[in-house]
Amino acid sequence: MADVSQNDKVVQRISGDMRRESIRSRGRRDTEGHVSFYPLCCSQRLVLAIIGFLGFLNLYALRVNLSVAMVCMVNYTAIENTNNVSELLMSAADKQREHDCAGNVENSSRASEDGEFVWDKTKQGLILGSFFWGYLVTQIPGGWLSERFGGKRVFGYSMLLTAVATLLIPIGARCSWILLVFLRVVQGLGEGVVFPAMHSVWSHWAPPLQRSMLVGFTYAGAQIGNVITLPLAALLCEYGFDGGWASIFYIFGLYGLLWCAAWMLIVSDTPHSSRWISHDERHFIEHSLSGQMAKDIKVLIFIYKCTKKSEIMLTDVIGIKAAGISNNNLKF
């Protein structure tokens, strides 16, 4: 009886261990023992999609915030007075009559609403457009850098560079508009590599059947960033600190730094190098991507064979035509 009781305890312990293991293991296995499915809920893929979404929200927030801040930064009254030569030549009496008609309240309110920079339309256009000078340069190298150093590092460090440049914009603008143009170029250089870097990360993380959903959700952050940034920047411009417009760059730049810290801590270039992913999810991703790679290789082999057959057929046609032409020349 003692032996039977001991065996029952062993069986109960083993069955309990199996139940606990089944609870921890959420993947579904096929007949060969491979994890054929792992739920997206509470997975590391979902975490990557969410933090990528927030990253692209930050990406477009740092891109478009100056478009709103420019309205608060420029002193349009001074520009009008500078450009309007006829107003400078007006007599003292005409100026006094205009002042009386407009009213002291209106003039004082307009002066309080104007910004601190006297930038004409040409300078404003250069400041706003200089971002894309840098953005254009790093688009193609971004893909090579991501494959060489990993999408995680390229994405994280580029956003860190952009966030630091954003924090320096108030200082640069108050020093010189040329320095502001330089900071905008730096922002463009940093953001130009982001899309290639995210493509590189998802190429190692997204299973083929979930790739469209995961990538689409991640890139939706860019449009949400536009929707959130424009009205929020307007509120900060009106009620923010340090003149209003400067708080736009401080707040969004600080958000960029916090996001970079979270990205570097949580994200990995591949599932194999991640310390947060479960064993089953890693097995599922790697197995699904290996199957996709095998299909791609078969497609490439098929294309290669078709190309070789086409070359052989083309060579035969050229040979037949050449032989026909030679025969006709001999008869002639």
Side-chain angles (χ1 to χ4, degrees):
M1 292 293 294
D3 294 337
V4 174
S5 176
Q6 187 69 23
N7 292 335
D8 291 341
K9 290 181 180 179
V10 172
V11 171
Q12 291 176 0
R13 186 169 65 251
I14 294 174
S15 62
D17 294 339
M18 293 178 64
R19 283 196 300 269
R20 286 191 294 271
E21 182 65 25
S22 64
I23 292 173
R24 288 195 298 265
S25 178
R26 305 175 62 205
R28 184 192 308 158
R29 297 182 179 272
D30 56 17
T31 57
E32 298 179 357
H34 299 296
V35 181
S36 60
F37 176 78
Y38 193 90
L40 185 61
C41 178
C42 300
S43 66
Q44 192 63 22
R45 307 190 305 281
L46 181 61
V47 174
L48 176 59
I50 292 174
I51 195 171
F53 173 90
L54 296 175
F56 276 87
L57 188 152
N58 181 39
L59 175 77
Y60 271 71
L62 299 180
R63 177 185 299 190
V64 304
N65 54 15
L66 184 61
S67 300
V68 179
M70 184 72 73
V71 179
C72 305
M73 296 170 69
V74 176
N75 190 325
Y76 294 97
T77 302
I79 295 175
E80 292 176 0
N81 292 338
T82 302
N83 295 334
N84 195 344
V85 179
S86 60
E87 184 179 352
L88 297 177
L89 299 177
M90 289 174 59
S91 62
D94 292 336
K95 288 185 178 181
Q96 184 63 36
R97 283 195 298 271
E98 182 182 4
H99 177 75
D100 295 337
C101 293
N104 294 330
V105 176
E106 181 181 353
N107 289 338
S108 61
S109 63
R110 184 173 184 182
S112 63
E113 292 176 357
D114 277 339
E116 55 188 280
F117 303 104
V118 184
W119 295 333
D120 56 21
K121 293 181 179 179
T122 302
K123 291 181 180 179
Q124 294 179 44
L126 290 173
I127 293 170
L128 292 174
S130 57
F131 171 89
F132 296 97
W133 302 347
Y135 191 82
L136 180 64
V137 172
T138 54
Q139 281 284 301
I140 296 177
W144 178 83
L145 291 172
S146 300
E147 292 299 326
R148 178 68 176 82
F149 302 103
K152 169 191 173 179
R153 294 180 180 84
V154 174
F155 196 167
Y157 292 147
S158 64
M159 290 302 296
L160 177 63
L161 177 65
T162 305
V164 172
T166 301
L167 291 171
L168 294 176
I169 281 181
I171 300 175
R174 285 166 175 154
C175 291
S176 171
W177 71 274
I178 298 177
L179 181 57
L180 177 56
V181 168
F182 172 76
L183 291 174
R184 289 290 289 174
V185 173
V186 172
Q187 284 185 311
L189 291 171
E191 293 196 10
V193 302
V194 169
F195 275 95
M198 197 69 226
H199 285 317
S200 176
V201 173
W202 276 128
S203 67
H204 299 286
W205 275 91
L209 297 180
Q210 297 178 351
R211 185 171 298 156
S212 299
M213 177 178 60
L214 292 171
V215 174
F217 176 78
T218 302
Y219 292 158
Q223 310 310 321
I224 301 299
N226 286 330
V227 173
I228 293 176
T229 302
L230 296 178
L232 181 58
L235 290 175
L236 291 173
C237 189
E238 180 68 21
Y239 304 106
F241 56 91
D242 194 14
W245 63 269
S247 62
I248 299 174
F249 303 104
Y250 292 139
I251 290 176
F252 284 113
L254 179 61
Y255 168 68
L257 293 180
L258 295 176
W259 179 88
C260 290
W263 173 267
M264 299 301 293
L265 177 65
I266 297 174
V267 176
S268 300
D269 289 316
T270 62
H272 183 73
S273 61
S274 175
R275 56 180 173 175
W276 309 104
I277 193 172
S278 65
H279 177 270
D280 281 353
E281 184 182 5
R282 178 167 58 245
H283 190 186
F284 165 66
I285 295 173
E286 292 176 349
H287 179 63
S288 62
L289 291 179
S290 64
Q292 179 66 32
M293 186 177 296
K295 292 180 181 178
D296 294 339
I297 292 174
K298 290 180 180 178
V299 172
L300 291 175
I301 293 174
F302 175 76
I303 295 174
Y304 174 76
K305 289 181 178 180
C306 292
T307 305
K308 294 299 291 183
K309 289 181 180 180
S310 300
E311 291 178 355
I312 294 172
M313 292 175 62
L314 181 61
T315 303
D316 293 340
V317 170
I318 294 175
I320 293 172
K321 290 293 185 182
I325 294 173
S326 300
N327 190 22
N328 291 333
N329 290 336
L330 291 174
K331 289 181 180 180
F332 179 76

